[in-house]
Amino acid sequence: MHNRRNFLKLSAGAAFGGIAATMPGTVSASECNPIEWDESQDVIVVGSGFAGLSAALNAKRQKLGSVLVLEKMQVIGGNSAINGGWLAIPKNPIQLAQGINDDSAEELVKDQIISGRGMQNEAALRQIANRSLDAYELCIDTGVKFREGFNIQVGGHNKARAIRTQHGTGGDITTKLYEAGVKEGVDYRLQHYIEDFIMDGQKIIGVKVRKNYRFPDLKTGTTIFIKANKAVVLANGGFARNMALREVVDPSLDPTLDCTNALGATGEVTLTAMAHGALPVHMNLIQTGHWGSPDEGGFGWSNALLSIGWHQGAAISVLNGKRFMDERADRKTCSEAIMKNRNTDGSPAYPVVLFNYNNYAKDDRVIRALRDKMAWKLNSLDEIAAKFDIPVAQFKRSIAEYNTHVNARKDPLFNRKMDTAEVLTGPFVVSRIWPKVHYCMGGLKTDLGARVIDGRSMASIKNLYAIGEVTGGIHGEARLSSTSCLECLVMGIVVAETIQADLQGAV
């Protein structure tokens, strides 16, 4: 135990009132109490997803001393472990082997500028894109395996640059980063919940932690104080599971929407940082994943299945049997188009996506979806129309029209790129779609080095850094598919370099 005493200002609850009261563990007292440190670490990383694991491993490789990762849940990985394992990497080896030689970091940024709709941080996007191959090499170095020969064009991208992990989950990456961290001396602790920051003016010097916490019961565990000698890195992700906060920052967001996120994505650490002056940006920009399925909970298989459906198939409204969107547009565009499909009473009229079964019968994405009954194999358009109550005559006209567009390689209705589209002949794989809340574009404002900005002074809060979904203002109105993993891995590299540079500058 360290005997040096400091003072803890408990202010988060007072700053956020009713919202804080809904958050497990947000501090509500305002008095100052003397503390004794229970232990001391050089770098404390909060969160164990892509960003936190990358930051911890790279902090070790920057020789920053002891590195401690604190995870409030009972497993490593957070949302990252359950995501689809997609990674957008311009000039990745698979892309080059496919003969795609005209891609670049700048091409990726151009696509992100379009999806960001003027709200994006171009400098941050460019930094991430320019170091995308560093993220790829980090994965390869730690033993991550990607699907052989698999590199495709996903929604909103103008090039095929999205590779995918061997098993189609982010767990392929989080597991390897964790294992590498263990070998290199990173200390990981589960069920450690951040109750508050310990500040000395505009500098973070430690954290108040509830040890042996069992989500979401704050009566569990005991409080300890951990001193941070060099840095605290926030990598705690977004707040998509915090319904009270979602309602406050974006009242227009349909509260009935399901969520793809892990249960722990509730944003308490973000609120605590804001209570200590951290500047929030774009908190109302909450993205839905247009590939959600109403026939499965959470993230599910639909994301993987529709990586076929969006490219080789078509989306049809059950209300009128017609196509209604460019199936390969970005998430925001597609989500808004899908959610216009409603019955007269306002309830969702779930559209369907169909593609040919025979070409993908042995594909694990199809096998899993059919097994888990979130998709169906149907032999004819008549069977589809009967099962989903689609006006059959118009449905058949729509598919016939779509097939002419496939043959012409031109879509005059929605200007969809048709290079991968297939003539639909049946039998078919059919699934229903409805967006799910997926990603928070808003969070804490940081500079390019990941330093958290204090809104009261517009200077950085010393020794406090943030990376990944906890940060805001990077992607703008819509984040492109397969860019979150990229951002997290890259910024884990960047933040370790920043901490090293800040330490050297302070000498």
Side-chain angles (χ1 to χ4, degrees), residues 431-488:
S431 63
R432 303 196 300 173
I433 53 171
W434 199 252
K436 295 182 180 181
V437 177
H438 179 60
Y439 189 89
C440 299
M441 267 79 68
L444 307 178
K445 176 64 178 176
T446 59
D447 65 12
L448 291 180
R451 303 173 186 90
V452 174
I453 302 302
D454 190 322
R456 300 163 296 186
S457 65
M458 298 306 292
S460 60
I461 301 175
K462 192 171 182 181
N463 290 6
L464 183 62
Y465 306 84
I467 55 175
E469 193 178 353
V470 66
T471 63
I474 294 176
H475 296 280
E477 284 199 31
R479 178 180 67 77
L480 284 186
S481 172
S482 69
T483 59
S484 177
C485 178
L486 172 63
E487 175 193 352
C488 291

Side-chain angles (χ1 to χ4, degrees), residues 20 89 150 160 171 176 189 331 351 360 440 506:
I89 307 288
F150 187 92
K176 293 302 182 182
R189 299 185 197 171
R331 291 170 172 177
Y360 307 95
C440 299

Side-chain angles (χ1 to χ4, degrees), residues 183-258:
K183 290 179 181 177
E184 297 185 34
V186 176
D187 184 0
Y188 301 92
R189 299 185 197 171
L190 301 174
Q191 296 177 255
H192 279 61
Y193 174 84
I194 303 297
E195 291 188 303
D196 207 350
F197 300 163
I198 304 174
M199 306 296 295
D200 181 4
Q202 203 175 19
K203 176 182 178 181
I204 188 168
I205 58 174
V207 288
K208 179 186 179 186
V209 182
R210 183 158 289 268
K211 178 182 178 181
N212 296 325
Y213 160 79
R214 289 183 65 86
F215 176 86
D217 186 0
L218 259 188
K219 295 179 181 179
T220 58
T222 56
T223 295
I224 61 173
F225 298 94
I226 306 177
K227 187 174 185 293
N229 298 321
K230 298 177 180 178
V232 173
V233 180
L234 307 184
N236 53 285
F239 56 88
R241 283 283 183 183
N242 186 327
M243 296 300 291
L245 184 54
R246 273 172 44 181
E247 183 179 3
V248 168
V249 299
D250 186 3
S252 70
L253 187 63
D254 186 345
T256 68
L257 291 179
D258 193 5

